[in-house]
Amino acid sequence: MAETTPFYITTAISYPNGKPHIGHAYEAIAADVIARFQRLSGRRVRFQTGTDEHGLKMARKAEEQGRTPADLADEMSGYFRAMCDALNVSYDRFIRTSEPDHHRASQAIWQAMEANGDLYLDRYEGWYSVRDEAYYDESELVEGEGGEKLSPQGTPVEWTVEESWFFRLSKYEGQLLELLKTPGFLEPASRRNEMIAFVEQGLRDLSVSRTSFDWGVKVPGSDGHVMYVWVDALTNYLTGLGYPDDMGDFWPASLHLIGKDIVRFHTIYWPAFLMSAKLPVPQKVFGHGFLLNRGQKESKSLGNVTDPVALAERFGVDALRYFLIREVAFGQDGSYSPEAIVQRANGELGNAFGNLAQRTLGFIAKNLEGYLPAIRGHDAADTALFETVDRAITTEIPEAFENLALQQAVEAWLQAVFACNAYIDAQAPWTLRKTDPERMETVLATLYICIAQLAVAISPVIPASSARLLDMLGVPDDLRTLEGIRSHWYSPLAESDYQLSAPTPLFPRLELPAEDA
């Protein structure tokens, strides 16, 4: 893969009418893992996240609190940025839709759609969910327990009547159907099938402006109208690259990573807006599943909303990141609990990988005064381990990450860790120290190399812990890539005066808090 190949990944921008929950953290961490892997592979990466701050929901929330929407947005957006920073999310831009450059970009795409003849003024009458910021056809509604009408998401809807600009969504029905059937555009397959079925039922033109409130991007040349929040929100992916000016070579986006509940907006409305504005559509949209709290969807009414920063403070950032990627089959719903986090962290990070590194480096520090062991000829066991680890870091892990099979990537890494543990137990360097010191050095050198390779390979998932281990190992920064760690870096390092100190535990054992025991 050429180093100049660009990779642009975005999360959905979060609606900040409340503080972030674990679902927001899950999406941000998953996107960060993908972005870090692509950097590790040598690609130029642009990673964007942020907050979606306009719309009726924010306006009403602010009114309830006796404050302005801008004041509410300033406070709440800060919590989302703080969450990303606390979870070591390596975004290149944290965008806020209330920023001036975003208003300019949104008005530019509006004018491009208008110039293409795709906007017209009419009157909207229909059902609207404030919570979803979405319009629903009568046929999509379901009946609630009290007989009230609800959206397909189970949210309240209200009858809305107002003058509105409309977008000619129906005009793009054929093109959208063709796009949705394009292999790789929308994944997983279950989401793709849902959207194909939706389009095949026929598309109606979309109301894209509101007059009942003014917290939003002003429609150019149309007093009293603000843009439908999704026109504004989706345009953020362009704003972050400099639209309407030169966006460089990062557009079209390589990947929009979103929750499964907003797939319609990203794979029907958004491509249609882009087609109208004569812009390329994104290469891939992936709708991941929900993260459940002990099998239940989090909600304020159930009182089970989890603060992800508090969770990271309790168990450690890397332990939380590892658990979320390791535990959940990406694209499906998954569940978490304190017990499960502790079990994964102690059993796999601590016992399997951390203990492997601790034993190996501790043995070198104690028996070789910290000087790196020399390789004195490999035997079949050494070659077999190198082949296992090399296959993992050059084929299995990269292919899984490229296919967004994040759980499988970690599984491939863990199997290589298990192979290293089996090797150290079979070779028993503590016995070789007395019977064959030269063989002991080769065994330790083999383990040292494999541990370094595995530390680099898992660094997208546990970046801080991997960096600490690579620092202990003395691996130079410029070699901490999938290609660099395969080069002949070890011999020059072993022949230098580099001397490692006694290692410190990478993953201190976690204990389940009393309230969760």
Side-chain angles (χ1 to χ4, degrees):
M1 184 181 295
E3 290 189 6
T4 56
T5 305
F7 186 86
Y8 180 35
I9 180 173
T10 71
T11 67
I13 49 175
S14 302
Y15 208 77
N17 64 323
K19 291 184 178 180
H21 55 67
I22 192 66
H24 296 114
Y26 176 57
E27 182 170 296
I29 288 170
D32 184 61
V33 168
I34 295 166
R36 287 179 183 272
F37 162 73
Q38 294 294 342
R39 294 190 194 107
L40 205 62
S41 300
R43 297 182 76 171
R44 292 185 295 114
V45 173
R46 177 80 177 177
F47 173 22
Q48 181 166 301
T49 189
T51 45
D52 170 16
E53 300 174 14
H54 294 132
L56 183 56
K57 187 161 49 175
M58 284 289 284
R60 287 186 178 177
K61 185 75 171 183
E63 186 178 10
E64 289 171 10
Q65 298 181 3
R67 61 202 298 196
T68 66
D71 182 48
L72 174 64
D74 286 344
E75 178 193 349
M76 302 309 291
S77 179
Y79 293 124
F80 282 85
R81 186 191 291 263
M83 178 199 73
C84 287
D85 293 341
L87 298 176
N88 205 0
V89 175
S90 60
Y91 57 84
D92 294 294
R93 167 132 187 212
F94 187 96
I95 194 168
R96 296 183 58 190
T97 57
S98 57
E99 294 168 335
D101 66 337
H102 179 68
H103 281 238
R104 177 171 171 259
S106 299
Q107 290 174 334
I109 197 171
W110 180 281
Q111 290 169 327
M113 294 190 294
E114 187 175 37
N116 201 42
D118 289 335
L119 298 175
Y120 62 92
L121 198 60
D122 204 338
R123 178 183 175 86
Y124 177 77
E125 294 188 23
W127 296 103
Y128 189 77
S129 166
V130 176
R131 193 178 302 176
D132 298 345
E133 294 285 9
Y135 302 97
Y136 291 107
D137 186 80
E138 180 87 31
S139 63
E140 296 182 86
L141 303 182
V142 296
E143 187 172 311
E145 292 182 3
E148 74 276 22
K149 294 181 183 293
L150 300 176
S151 78
Q153 312 295 337
T155 57
V157 295
E158 54 189 57
W159 187 257
T160 300
V161 179
E162 61 185 323
E163 182 184 69
S164 175
W165 283 95
F166 280 76
F167 173 75
R168 298 185 193 279
L169 184 63
S170 57
K171 171 181 172 182
Y172 294 93
E173 187 174 304
Q175 290 172 258
L176 289 169
L177 200 55
E178 183 179 355
L179 175 64
L180 288 165
K181 292 180 178 179
T182 302
F185 171 68
L186 173 56
E187 293 181 355
S190 58
R191 319 276 188 254
R192 180 167 62 250
N193 294 336
E194 288 172 11
M195 292 304 104
I196 289 172
F198 180 80
V199 175
E200 286 179 337
Q201 292 174 359
L203 294 177
R204 298 195 307 170
D205 291 351
L206 181 68
S207 171
V208 289
S209 76
R210 306 296 303 273
T211 57
S212 55
F213 62 96
D214 62 1
W215 175 240
V217 178
K218 304 295 186 290
V219 171
S222 190
D223 289 344
H225 286 257
V226 295
M227 292 181 196
Y228 173 41
V229 67
W230 276 102
V231 177
D232 147 27
L234 291 161
T235 304
N236 93 88
Y237 304 128
L238 301 177
T239 305
L241 298 180
Y243 181 81
D245 303 323
D246 183 11
M247 292 192 288
D249 59 354
F250 278 109
W251 191 263
S254 306
L255 175 64
H256 287 326
L257 185 62
I258 60 168
K260 65 181 182 180
D261 54 333
I262 54 173
V263 168
R264 182 191 303 183
F265 303 99
H266 284 80
T267 61
I268 295 176
Y269 300 167
W270 180 224
F273 297 159
L274 291 167
M275 291 171 184
S276 176
K278 309 297 185 187
L279 292 168
V281 300
Q283 295 173 9
K284 183 186 290 292
V285 178
F286 190 95
H288 64 77
F290 292 140
L291 193 63
L292 308 176
N293 186 339
R294 301 182 187 274
Q296 284 188 311
K297 189 174 180 181
E298 293 199 340
S299 71
K300 293 177 183 177
S301 60
L302 291 175
N304 65 346
V305 177
T306 302
D307 178 355
V309 176
L311 206 61
E313 289 172 350
R314 179 189 295 184
F315 298 113
V317 172
D318 277 357
L320 178 60
R321 288 173 62 105
Y322 180 84
F323 171 81
L324 293 177
I325 302 304
R326 171 76 173 106
E327 183 77 9
V328 182
F330 201 52
Q332 299 178 20
D333 289 350
S335 191
Y336 76 97
S337 67
E339 300 95 324
I341 296 171
V342 168
Q343 184 177 22
R344 288 286 190 198
N346 286 344
E348 297 176 0
L349 286 181
N351 294 345
F353 190 53
N355 192 40
L356 171 69
Q358 185 78 15
R359 286 201 290 174
T360 302
L361 302 190
F363 200 87
I364 293 171
K366 181 178 180 180
N367 294 282
L368 297 176
E369 298 180 347
Y371 291 105
L372 301 190
I375 298 173
R376 303 182 186 278
H378 293 303
D379 70 9
D382 309 332
T383 301
L385 182 63
F386 278 137
E387 288 176 350
T388 296
V389 173
D390 187 65
R391 184 168 58 250
I393 70 168
T394 63
T395 303
E396 296 169 349
I397 296 171
E399 286 183 357
F401 273 131
E402 284 287 357
N403 293 326
L404 304 183
L406 308 188
Q407 185 186 52
Q408 288 87 332
V410 177
E411 174 65 24
W413 172 83
L414 190 60
Q415 291 303 316
V417 171
F418 290 158
C420 290
N421 278 302
Y423 171 87
I424 193 174
D425 289 340
Q427 297 300 315
W430 45 88
T431 299
L432 293 172
R433 179 172 59 87
K434 299 176 181 178
T435 61
D436 192 346
E438 289 193 356
R439 175 63 189 158
M440 176 199 74
E441 287 202 50
T442 299
V443 167
L444 292 173
T446 300
L447 286 165
Y448 189 98
I449 292 167
C450 290
I451 290 168
Q453 292 176 321
L454 292 170
V456 169
I458 200 62
S459 63
V461 181
I462 51 170
S465 301
S466 293
R468 286 198 303 273
L469 177 54
L470 290 164
D471 287 345
M472 284 190 274
L473 291 164
V475 177
D477 289 345
D478 62 340
L479 296 182
R480 298 180 187 187
T481 66
L482 291 179
E483 183 60 35
I485 205 66
R486 295 184 64 201
S487 64
H488 299 292
W489 55 271
Y490 180 72
S491 293
L493 187 63
E495 293 166 5
S496 71
D497 292 330
Y498 179 73
Q499 190 175 14
L500 59 83
S501 303
T504 55
L506 280 174
F507 308 104
R509 185 168 183 79
L510 298 178
E511 298 295 337
L512 198 63
E515 63 269 26
D516 295 311

